[in-house]
Amino acid sequence: MEAQFDLTSKVIAIIGGTGKEGTGLAYRWTRAGIKVIIGSRKLEKAQKAVDDLMNLAGNHIDVSGMENAEAARLADIVVLTVPYEAHKVTLESIKAEMSGKIFIDVSVPIAPPKVTRVQMPPAGSALQEAKQILGPEVKVASAFQNVSYTRLLKDEDVGCDILVCGEGRETRDLVLGLVEMMGLVGWDAGPIENSMVVEGLTSILIGINKRFKVEGSGIRITNVNREQAE
Amino acid sequence: MEAQFDLTSKVIAIIGGTGKEGTGLAYRWTRAGIKVIIGSRKLEKAQKAVDDLMNLAGNHIDVSGMENAEAARLADIVVLTVPYEAHKVTLESIKAEMSGKIFIDVSVPIAPPKVTRVQMPPAGSALQEAKQILGPEVKVASAFQNVSYTRLLKDEDVGCDILVCGEGRETRDLVLGLVEMMGLVGWDAGPIENSMVVEGLTSILIGINKRFKVEGSGIRITNVNREQAE
């Protein structure tokens, strides 16, 4: 697809970005030339994550560390990567800064110890729950639930595709552009009601990881011309 | 995996088996040497489907046509392939014949016209709805929701994998054995609560089919040794 958005001028905040998945996403985006702010509940943790990322990706990348709400305030696109038990409370803590922005949920409603059993919240999925909290002023999407951070941190093919759900085709296409800039293959997976499928797939893949003793099983879309993917 | 079950001695009934998906499954199973009964609400329709299948697969296959309840009564394994609007009523019509049998649901709760939007029933998924109707005496599973019948009818690689959800690992392994006999690659996708993911994936794949003007997009599991699949 032709790039429809000037994504390199956007600022991405990764809320709860000091964890493994957040680090993997930040690594790919900063190396693609996008400015990233890593958010954390504590400034020191965010700054530590910035130092670690620079050690991995090089000092030339454009990354800074802030508290979550400040990170959200200064960003155009806000990505959430927190353990599911912190999903609601973190969304509430950034809600006031979110009007007019794009939100990308990476959360999976996994309930230990039964991590291989799909369990969706009453809203239907983590993404629909986020939409309920963030309200009509925020365009929401979900992505990256099925790719392992270890593969994001390697400069090679991750071996799996990214399914993008979201509000409206324009929102999904913007996220698909971000996926492409990371060197990944993404597919339009439809409206937010479909996110339960992509989130739940994570539990199925964890089950396959366990049964076959592998680390990062994933999925690819087949029987379609992959050159068409975005 | 070693074959744990003597599947060639089993009889499979395909309820609502005169449709395209049922024909595709019957084609693969009969050619693998399994006895198949095609069930329909009307005996004549079932017998017509048997004639059509013999034209496709050859007269040597072991296939017969019956009304749905009779087909279920004579089978060890009962497979349901009806449009979702007939899901409950068809299950009620065979319920009395199901005790002690294995049930495989191929149904997808698609609600036209919004076929690309995931919409699960109150039970959580078609499979969980089937379990509620069939009760504790029937072991239930789901599979084959994401493979197109046109690919089943060709003697070549279908280009996609089969995800199998079901009650207990023994039930899933039996279904995985049936998948393998058809020349397909199947994966253990966990308990029946996970079926919403596999059923809903169908809507996402229909959306990809539409956006990219292809017919049978599917998925494959990646980043795992595919030789381990069953």
Side-chain angles (χ1 to χ4, degrees):
Chain A
M1 192 182 74
E2 301 290 315
Q4 294 174 347
F5 311 93
D6 179 11
L7 292 169
T8 52
S9 70
K10 303 289 188 192
V11 177
I12 301 180
I14 306 181
I15 305 301
T18 61
K20 293 167 174 178
E21 194 73 23
T23 303
L25 296 171
Y27 179 83
R28 291 263 172 168
W29 278 322
T30 53
R31 286 175 57 107
I34 300 178
K35 178 175 172 59
V36 169
I37 306 171
I38 294 180
S40 175
R41 282 181 303 159
K42 297 189 177 173
L43 182 60
E44 312 87 74
K45 274 190 77 179
Q47 285 171 335
K48 167 80 163 57
V50 167
D51 292 342
D52 291 347
L53 186 62
M54 283 188 165
N55 282 335
L56 282 170
N59 286 321
H60 61 286
I61 62 170
D62 194 349
V63 61
S64 51
M66 298 178 191
E67 288 184 20
N68 282 329
E70 181 73 356
R73 191 174 72 79
L74 295 176
D76 305 294
I77 298 162
V78 177
V79 180
L80 182 63
T81 61
V82 288
Y84 184 67
E85 70 250 32
H87 191 247
K88 277 188 190 177
V89 65
T90 308
L91 283 162
E92 296 287 359
S93 78
I94 61 170
K95 178 180 176 180
E97 314 296 343
M98 290 299 294
S99 183
K101 298 183 177 179
I102 301 283
F103 172 76
I104 306 175
D105 208 337
V106 187
S107 309
V108 176
I110 278 179
K114 293 192 172 170
V115 295
T116 61
R117 176 166 302 189
V118 174
Q119 293 178 81
M120 291 296 142
S125 61
L127 177 56
Q128 288 164 287
E129 185 176 81
K131 179 66 188 173
Q132 286 181 356
I133 293 169
L134 295 175
E137 302 301 316
V138 183
K139 292 285 187 191
V140 305
S142 69
F144 309 111
Q145 305 95 329
N146 304 323
V147 59
S148 85
Y149 76 97
T150 50
R151 292 187 188 273
L152 290 176
L153 289 175
K154 289 177 187 165
D155 297 316
E156 56 189 44
D157 183 0
V158 295
C160 64
D161 291 350
I162 307 299
L163 299 178
V164 175
C165 297
E167 276 190 283
R169 182 151 164 178
E170 192 179 1
T171 302
R172 298 194 295 271
D173 281 349
L174 182 145
V175 179
L176 287 165
L178 291 174
V179 170
E180 189 182 18
M181 289 186 78
M182 300 160 81
L184 307 180
V185 175
W187 299 93
D188 181 344
I192 67 172
E193 292 85 350
N194 295 7
S195 190
M196 69 166 64
V197 171
V198 190
E199 296 173 24
L201 199 51
T202 307
S203 291
I204 290 178
L205 293 170
I206 293 171
I208 289 173
N209 288 348
K210 286 188 173 197
R211 182 152 178 181
F212 296 108
K213 297 179 177 57
V214 296
E215 276 197 349
S217 66
I219 63 131
R220 276 211 193 279
I221 300 297
T222 61
N223 294 338
V224 57
N225 178 0
R226 295 184 57 84
E227 300 302 310
Q228 293 180 303
E230 289 151 84
Chain B
M1 194 183 71
E2 301 290 316
Q4 295 175 346
F5 311 93
D6 180 11
L7 293 169
T8 52
S9 69
K10 303 289 187 190
V11 177
I12 300 180
I14 305 181
I15 304 303
T18 62
K20 292 166 174 178
E21 194 74 23
T23 302
L25 297 171
Y27 179 83
R28 291 265 172 166
W29 278 321
T30 53
R31 285 175 56 106
I34 300 179
K35 178 177 173 59
V36 170
I37 306 171
I38 293 180
S40 176
R41 280 181 303 158
K42 296 189 177 174
L43 182 61
E44 313 87 73
K45 273 191 76 178
Q47 283 170 337
K48 167 79 163 58
V50 166
D51 291 342
D52 292 347
L53 186 63
M54 282 186 166
N55 283 336
L56 282 170
N59 285 322
H60 62 284
I61 62 170
D62 193 348
V63 60
S64 50
M66 299 178 191
E67 288 184 20
N68 282 328
E70 180 73 355
R73 191 175 72 79
L74 295 176
D76 305 294
I77 298 162
V78 177
V79 179
L80 183 63
T81 62
V82 288
Y84 184 67
E85 70 249 31
H87 190 247
K88 277 188 189 177
V89 65
T90 309
L91 283 162
E92 296 288 359
S93 78
I94 61 170
K95 179 179 176 179
E97 314 296 342
M98 291 299 294
S99 183
K101 298 184 178 179
I102 301 283
F103 171 76
I104 305 174
D105 208 336
V106 187
S107 308
V108 175
I110 278 180
K114 294 192 172 169
V115 295
T116 62
R117 177 166 300 188
V118 174
Q119 294 178 80
M120 291 295 142
S125 61
L127 177 56
Q128 287 164 288
E129 185 176 81
K131 179 65 189 174
Q132 286 181 358
I133 293 169
L134 295 175
E137 302 301 316
V138 183
K139 292 285 187 193
V140 305
S142 70
F144 308 112
Q145 305 96 329
N146 304 323
V147 61
S148 84
Y149 76 97
T150 50
R151 291 186 188 275
L152 291 175
L153 290 174
K154 290 176 186 166
D155 296 316
E156 55 189 46
D157 183 0
V158 294
C160 65
D161 290 351
I162 307 299
L163 298 178
V164 175
C165 298
E167 277 191 283
R169 183 153 166 177
E170 191 178 2
T171 302
R172 298 193 294 271
D173 281 348
L174 182 145
V175 178
L176 287 165
L178 291 175
V179 170
E180 189 182 18
M181 288 186 79
M182 299 161 82
L184 307 180
V185 175
W187 299 93
D188 181 345
I192 66 172
E193 291 85 351
N194 295 7
S195 190
M196 69 166 66
V197 171
V198 191
E199 296 172 25
L201 198 51
T202 307
S203 290
I204 291 177
L205 294 170
I206 292 171
I208 289 173
N209 288 348
K210 287 189 171 196
R211 183 155 179 179
F212 297 108
K213 298 180 176 56
V214 296
E215 277 196 350
S217 66
I219 63 131
R220 277 210 192 280
I221 300 296
T222 61
N223 294 337
V224 57
N225 178 0
R226 295 183 58 84
E227 300 301 310
Q228 292 180 305
E230 288 150 85

